Amino acid sequence: MSAAKRGLQRGLLIIAVLAALGVAGLVAMQWLMPHGGEQAGSGQVSIGGPFTLTDQDGRTVNDRDYAGKLMLVYFGFTNCPDICPTGLQTIAIAMDGLGADAAKVQPILITVDPERDTPPVLKEYVQAFHERLVGLTGTPEQIARVAREYRVYYQKVTLKDSSLGYSVDHSGFIYLMDGQGRYLTHFRHDVSPEDMAKRIRAKF
Ligand code: NI
């Protein structure tokens, strides 16, 4: 192979690597918006997918167990200081606002801290918000997989001056999925409960 040809090949390789990095950067940007941002879910990006996890009663469940209901899916963790409680409270008030129609909706919290959020821990937590709220945990691999499917970013952060030891940064969208688990829309964690209930109702 000539030196010129090798040079050309190397150039093409560099361009390919840069292009791949560019795509990775865009994906990372979409993820690196802890508890905020508005772009996720727009366009034709596919969000959601099948999962097998463990609920707050220790039962193995999968996405098909909730088929026929709109799934309201939120990723968070029980030690989250304020963002998760806000989002979950909004979900609870929206559920109450839906009245009898709330039966058509399954609110779900999927933990991004599976090490600490065992079924008993989740059970106590979800019960404090709403009787219909389901809490799901799993192995770190199961959680990583479902988070990937939902394009949820989460990352352990070491806390130096806290007995907790670590916190978990995570994106704060609340996803609304249809009766077959397909993405319908999403809410920011700071959406009002009235708005959420109204937009859910529009999807019945
Ligand atoms: Ni949180």
Side-chain angles (χ1 to χ4, degrees), residues 63-103:
D63 51 296
R64 293 177 303 282
D65 290 323
Y66 309 111
K69 285 183 184 156
L70 301 191
M71 280 195 299
L72 200 50
V73 185
Y74 186 67
F75 288 77
F77 65 112
T78 63
N79 281 309
C80 184
D82 54 8
I83 307 290
C84 286
T86 305
L88 293 171
Q89 199 160 16
T90 299
I91 289 173
I93 299 169
M95 285 294 285
D96 289 342
L98 286 169
D101 284 334

Side-chain angles (χ1 to χ4, degrees), residues 48-52 62-64 145-146 149-150:
F51 58 77
T52 300
N62 62 53
D63 51 296
R64 293 177 303 282
R145 174 191 284 235
V146 68
E149 286 177 341
Y150 279 80

